[in-house]
Amino acid sequence: MLKVLPNYYIRGALIMDTLQLRLFVSIASTLNFSRTAKQFFITQPAVSRHIKILESSLGVKLLSRTSRKIQLTEEGAEFLQYANLALEVISDAENRLHNMAQGRTGHIRIAALSSTAHQLSSCLVRLSREYPAVQVDVDLLEGSELISAIQKGEYNFYFAIADMVDGVDSHEYQMFSQDRLELFANTGIAEDIDINDWSTVQRHPFVSIQRSDAWLTHKIRLICKNRGITPSIINYYNRAEAAVLAVDAGIGIALLPGKLKHLYHHPNVVTVCIPGDDTEVSYVCVWKSGEKNWVSKPFRDIIFNTLPQEG
């Protein structure tokens, strides 16, 4: 699905080129004309000239320049997000046209939780073998990102957790696998933890996925509450792999989907299964009802024929 640019920006884009946008984004990061000039192998006066042309075309000052420092104006800070978005759209368009020129007339976009990577990989192997003329884009997202993507309809397929699609009437889904949240602990403290005595768990600090991931945050607190403890979460991370890395480093323990242990090899991490219905997780593949992309039908067939075998 194409990202939508605001109307005023589309009008402005007709009189600016991508080099101007890339230079502006670089300066917004470096706050240094000389450094940006070196990055693009052009002279500093050339950078200044391109920025002046961009500012003139937009009718606003994007940068505040003094002899001591450079900083974004209020308009520049606002425009930066659109410049990044425009460059992303252009890059996606160039990539898509390149694929079409190579004969890949089909195109499908998939978002997935990292804990579903094994099942997704099984489906992609068959898709690649049976439909080699299909371009496949895959993004691994965390829970809050995936829920937002489903609600906005940004992808053709989503490999998610069943609870994430509750109340989303515009989509259909197929359940394909069961999992549990397990306790991820560093080998140095694992022997001190008795999963039947959660006071031994509470002695250790927790690490977790960011709090905006409401599903996992709620699940963790529910599991702990049902066992009579309140977790002391000392660090939050934006990716599951970062939380596993923190466990490996001995920063804390974590409650995460058990399937993650097969994706990341960390020698200092052990997992402990937690009995109880409240730790259960059901994985589903989700797609929008009435999807018209021609690739959707064969990919659904692959899902139906492949994932039930994963069990």
Side-chain angles (χ1 to χ4, degrees):
M1 177 173 293
L2 289 178
K3 301 173 180 67
V4 178
L5 298 177
N7 289 335
Y8 82 84
Y9 183 82
I10 293 173
R11 290 195 296 271
L14 297 175
I15 51 175
M16 64 184 73
D17 60 36
T18 58
L19 177 58
Q20 293 169 5
L21 294 179
R22 296 201 323 260
L23 290 172
F24 169 68
V25 168
S26 174
I27 293 172
S29 174
T30 65
L31 297 179
N32 187 298
F33 274 68
S34 296
R35 210 175 305 161
T36 290
K38 290 179 180 178
Q39 288 178 356
F40 285 81
F41 302 100
I42 60 177
T43 65
Q44 183 174 332
V47 174
S48 298
R49 184 169 61 254
H50 279 294
I51 295 300
K52 286 180 181 178
I53 293 173
L54 179 60
E55 290 177 326
S56 177
S57 68
L58 292 171
V60 296
K61 281 287 184 184
L62 299 174
L63 300 168
S64 173
R65 285 159 280 191
T66 67
S67 58
R68 293 187 175 183
K69 66 177 181 178
I70 299 170
Q71 61 185 21
L72 291 173
T73 63
E74 183 178 352
E75 293 84 356
E78 180 75 12
F79 181 69
L80 179 60
Q81 60 180 318
Y82 296 119
N84 279 316
L85 180 57
L87 290 173
E88 184 180 349
V89 170
I90 291 168
S91 177
D92 288 347
E94 291 174 342
N95 181 55
R96 180 65 194 125
L97 292 177
H98 173 74
N99 273 277
M100 292 181 73
Q102 298 295 319
R104 300 180 187 90
T105 55
H107 185 205
I108 191 172
R109 302 186 71 236
I110 303 169
L113 296 172
S114 54
S115 51
T116 68
H118 177 65
Q119 289 82 4
L120 173 58
S121 177
S122 298
C123 293
L124 293 181
V125 167
R126 288 194 58 177
L127 181 66
S128 176
R129 183 174 64 243
E130 298 174 18
Y131 297 90
V134 171
Q135 176 187 344
V136 182
D137 296 339
V138 178
D139 288 327
L140 294 181
L141 307 179
E142 292 302 325
S144 58
E145 298 170 328
L146 194 62
I147 292 172
S148 176
I150 293 172
Q151 292 172 342
K152 295 177 181 178
E154 295 178 340
Y155 297 81
N156 302 108
F157 287 86
Y158 311 84
F159 283 65
I161 289 171
D163 294 346
M164 294 178 176
V165 295
D166 284 349
V168 184
D169 298 331
S170 59
H171 288 69
E172 302 175 34
Y173 63 89
Q174 166 76 13
M175 189 175 298
F176 63 79
S177 183
Q178 298 288 325
D179 195 9
R180 285 182 177 275
L181 291 191
E182 296 186 12
L183 180 67
F184 284 61
N186 187 277
T187 53
I189 63 170
E191 291 184 359
D192 298 330
I193 295 176
D194 180 357
I195 204 64
N196 297 310
D197 178 5
W198 275 66
S199 66
T200 65
V201 177
Q202 189 168 25
R203 288 201 292 260
H204 301 282
F206 278 67
V207 295
S208 184
I209 304 302
Q210 57 193 358
R211 281 174 281 191
S212 60
D213 192 333
W215 177 84
L216 185 57
T217 299
H218 171 73
K219 192 80 170 175
I220 291 170
R221 295 196 178 278
L222 177 63
I223 290 171
C224 291
K225 179 182 178 182
N226 290 345
R227 287 154 184 80
I229 73 165
T230 300
S232 173
I233 303 178
I234 61 169
N235 275 337
Y236 293 89
Y237 300 94
N238 67 336
R239 287 288 181 267
E241 51 265 43
V244 179
L245 181 63
V247 174
D248 186 67
I251 296 173
I253 61 177
L255 294 179
L256 296 167
K259 291 188 184 297
L260 291 174
K261 65 189 175 188
H262 302 300
L263 297 180
Y264 312 114
H265 175 66
H266 293 291
N268 299 318
V269 175
V270 296
T271 61
V272 183
C273 184
I274 306 170
D277 295 343
D278 55 355
T279 66
E280 294 179 353
V281 177
S282 297
Y283 290 109
V284 295
C285 183
V286 187
W287 61 90
K288 190 172 182 179
S289 301
E291 176 66 65
K292 296 181 179 179
N293 185 331
W294 74 263
V295 185
S296 294
K297 171 67 167 60
F299 191 61
R300 284 199 302 270
D301 291 341
I302 288 173
I303 291 168
F304 294 145
N305 294 327
T306 304
L307 294 186
Q309 301 171 16
E310 299 293 327

